[in-house]
Amino acid sequence: MDSVRKAVDRVYGHRVMRRRSNEISSEAALRGARGSAALSGADWALEEVRRRTDFSADPEARTVGAALRLGAEAGQLLSIWRQSPLRVLARLHLVAAGEPDDSVGRPRLDGEKVDEPLIEGPVPTPAEVAGRLDGLAELIVAGSGAPALVTASVVHGELLALRPFTSYNGLIARAAERIALVGSGLDPKAVCPAEVGHAEQGRAAYLAAFEGYLSGTPEGVGAWIAHCGRSVELGVRESTAVCEALQRRGLRAAGDPGPGPGPRPFPGLRRVAAVPLQVPPLARPPSYQASSICAHQAGNFARGLVRLARNRRVDVAWVPGFRARSVGPSCSTGDPLGCPRSRGPDSFYSSWGGSESAGSTSGFCSNSGKAARGREPAGVA
């Protein structure tokens, strides 16, 4: 459990996740859908999944389309999942089927066949399915002290064992596991696709671990939970690779074909290197520490001061080595930054980081109509 949690924390701490987490979530949903479809018999390349637009031509295409629809729908059902998981399962089956039918959106009845290519063996009766689904729903709604990975693994294994619908049970079980991981807080942004890990470990390992869950023994259930934890770790590794690709390629989407960094999205713009520039004394407050910054930052700061002065909000007159004074009408030189003079003699000294004492060597001056008269400001040398 600790290794899974640490792996998830690492990918959430990646610098790309700070501003482009939505792109990582979308890419994780796409890759997770491809992995889930591969376990159900439609093992397509990722480029083919990106390229295709028609997913109704053959059974494999319909499986991939169902997996994509489930991945897109899963993120919108979190609030309902915490209140009524059975409604979410019915909705997932309706979305996966993609077409209205009498058997869509409800548990199967007696005599209805189950189309699940991955899982073979006896199918539980509808009465047993209904009872165990109610117990699973109560567990999810009431919550438990079990770790999120354990709860998600139980949801996945139970739905896969019950096969409550006539079709797409494997896809729905893996989508429900994803919802459980997101809703429990382990993966709130859905960037750790466990389906990728299930597919990467292979169908044989997936079925072997599921057989252990079906046995009901502590060892078998533990092996199933360990398999699901390993799948989450592999999903984290996949998303980390996507983050690294986005970081290397800049604005290019991860997974696009073609070597090299590719064309720039804005060919007319050039990246300008940072120019070492000492901010002029008149354009910085006294507490400012001179540093090497980009030229446009210093320019924006100076223009902001000029804009304030022109709006009569502040008069800028700060010169190192001189006592800061407001620029009044008696000044013959005017504002050193080219700002208009103050209106009237009602100026007062409002230092920023300084004081009005004789020992003050710096300050930031302001002009206000509420100052006491009789303090005639001097010009700035």
Side-chain angles (χ1 to χ4, degrees), residues 9-43:
D9 291 342
R10 280 196 300 271
V11 71
Y12 272 84
H14 199 282
R15 61 183 302 176
V16 175
M17 286 289 296
R18 300 173 187 174
R19 296 184 177 180
R20 309 182 70 176
S21 60
N22 292 336
E23 299 178 43
I24 306 300
S25 299
S26 301
E27 187 69 20
L30 177 65
R31 297 183 181 225
R34 193 210 71 83
S36 185
L39 288 175
S40 294
D43 191 2

Side-chain angles (χ1 to χ4, degrees), residues 302-323:
R303 282 192 292 272
L305 293 179
V306 172
R307 190 181 307 110
L308 289 175
R310 289 177 178 173
N311 290 338
R312 302 291 182 178
R313 295 182 181 178
V314 65
D315 290 333
V316 179
W318 180 80
V319 179
F322 289 86
R323 179 176 176 178

Side-chain angles (χ1 to χ4, degrees), residues 45-338:
L46 186 61
E47 291 75 12
E48 180 67 15
V49 177
R50 295 181 191 276
R51 185 186 65 83
R52 289 286 289 268
T53 57
D54 182 15
F55 296 97
S56 60
D58 53 81
E60 285 193 1
R62 286 192 289 270
T63 300
V64 175
L68 291 172
R69 291 191 297 270
L70 287 175
E73 187 73 13
Q76 306 177 21
L77 301 175
L78 291 176
S79 59
I80 307 176
W81 174 260
R82 299 185 183 98
Q83 301 173 3
S84 179
L86 298 183
R87 289 175 54 194
V88 172
L89 295 178
R91 173 64 180 173
L92 290 177
H93 188 225
L94 180 64
V95 170
E99 54 186 10
D101 190 82
D102 293 340
S103 62
V104 172
R106 62 164 177 81
R108 53 184 171 81
L109 304 176
D110 287 326
E112 292 181 337
K113 296 182 179 181
V114 177
D115 182 15
E116 182 54 50
L118 181 62
I119 307 299
E120 299 179 355
V123 180
T125 63
E128 182 182 356
V129 169
R132 292 174 66 175
L133 281 179
D134 290 339
L136 182 63
E138 292 176 3
L139 175 65
I140 296 172
V141 173
S144 65
L149 177 62
V150 175
T151 303
S153 302
V154 170
V155 169
H156 183 183
E158 196 69 8
L159 292 177
L160 203 60
L162 294 178
R163 282 157 285 175
F165 303 106
T166 57
S167 59
Y168 302 112
N169 290 285
L171 297 178
I172 293 173
R174 290 182 285 275
E177 179 191 28
R178 184 181 184 87
I179 294 175
L181 289 173
V182 174
S184 62
L186 179 63
D187 182 22
K189 294 186 178 181
V191 297
C192 307
E195 304 94 327
V196 172
H198 290 307
E200 187 169 340
Q201 295 185 77
R203 299 181 67 180
Y206 184 77
L207 291 176
F210 178 64
E211 290 294 334
Y213 180 83
L214 286 180
S215 66
T217 62
E219 294 78 10
V221 176
W224 170 252
I225 295 174
H227 177 85
C228 293
R230 177 58 181 164
S231 299
V232 174
E233 291 180 351
L234 292 175
V236 168
R237 189 180 68 178
E238 188 80 4
S239 292
T240 303
V242 173
C243 291
E244 294 294 336
L246 287 177
Q247 187 174 359
R248 289 194 304 268
R249 301 178 185 182
L251 296 178
R252 292 185 66 229
D256 284 352
R264 299 186 63 86
F266 305 102
L269 298 181
R270 287 189 306 111
R271 182 181 295 275
V272 181
V275 180
L277 176 68
Q278 297 297 328
V279 182
L282 293 178
R284 65 185 182 191
S287 60
Y288 187 105
Q289 298 296 327
S291 60
S292 175
I293 62 175
C294 295
H296 71 276
Q297 292 176 332
N300 289 340
F301 182 69
R303 282 192 292 272
L305 293 179
V306 172
R307 190 181 307 110
L308 289 175
R310 289 177 178 173
N311 290 338
R312 302 291 182 178
R313 295 182 181 178
V314 65
D315 290 333
V316 179
W318 180 80
V319 179
F322 289 86
R323 179 176 176 178
R325 305 177 185 276
S326 174
V327 180
S330 62
C331 303
S332 59
T333 57
D335 194 307
L337 288 180

